[in-house]
Amino acid sequence: MITPTNPASKRKSGTPEDTLYILKGFLWFISQEDNDCDFHIEIGTTDTFATRMIVEVTRENTTLTKKIRDELFARGLKILDCNTSSTGVAHYDSPLPVIVIGLGFYDKSHKPMTNHGDMHSKQFSWELHPVKDIIFR
């Protein structure tokens, strides 16, 4: 459900923001933001140095956040809970192949020299937000 305080509520009808996208790639980085507890995930190619795209899973989507945590745990990987003393962050040496389904969203905080994602995701102002599903391959 989209609430008035959710950035997704500002979607522009008839634009890429009301389009559902399917992104096939590799999960390299995940952080659980301490300000809103959303998962910010970087998806890219198998190239370690390539630019990546941010996809965002909102904390309200408890089914999907549990699915992600369970999958990471099953693979021997973990991410800390944002309600602990430090924000959960995990950067993987070997990326996880995934398919991500979500809505397009323009986020100006992705512009270069901003504090969103890491050095690989600074070139895109577009993200998938909210993510509707992630399929681990």
Side-chain angles (χ1 to χ4, degrees):
M1 181 165 118
I2 298 175
T3 61
T5 57
N6 185 329
S9 67
K10 298 175 186 172
R11 294 189 183 285
K12 297 180 181 91
S13 181
T15 71
E17 288 192 335
D18 71 355
T19 302
L20 192 66
Y21 294 91
I22 299 172
L23 176 65
K24 185 177 178 180
F26 295 85
L27 187 157
W28 281 94
F29 175 87
I30 183 169
S31 68
Q32 191 171 21
E33 302 295 307
D34 58 0
N35 62 334
D36 61 10
C37 291
D38 290 352
F39 283 157
H40 290 220
I41 302 169
E42 289 183 2
I43 306 295
T45 66
T46 56
D47 181 352
T48 305
F49 301 103
T51 300
R52 302 175 194 153
M53 181 176 193
I54 295 284
V55 302
E56 189 166 339
V57 179
T58 61
R59 74 169 179 234
E60 292 83 11
N61 191 339
T62 56
T63 302
L64 187 53
T65 56
K66 181 180 181 332
K67 176 182 177 178
I68 293 167
R69 283 184 185 286
D70 290 350
E71 182 68 30
L72 295 177
F73 180 77
R75 293 176 184 239
L77 305 168
K78 65 181 179 176
I79 180 169
L80 300 174
D81 189 295
C82 71
N83 295 317
T84 62
S85 59
S86 78
T87 303
V89 175
H91 202 143
Y92 306 119
D93 294 329
S94 298
L96 308 175
V98 294
I99 297 171
V100 181
I101 302 166
L103 292 168
F105 184 69
Y106 181 78
D107 188 342
K108 65 184 176 184
S109 72
H110 288 226
K111 291 182 179 178
M113 306 309 291
T114 61
N115 190 22
H116 194 80
D118 74 3
M119 66 181 178
H120 299 287
S121 61
K122 298 296 187 194
Q123 297 180 20
F124 292 119
S125 293
W126 284 93
E127 66 180 31
L128 295 186
H129 177 195
V131 169
K132 300 296 187 180
D133 197 12
I134 293 181
I135 301 158
F136 290 88
R137 301 182 284 137

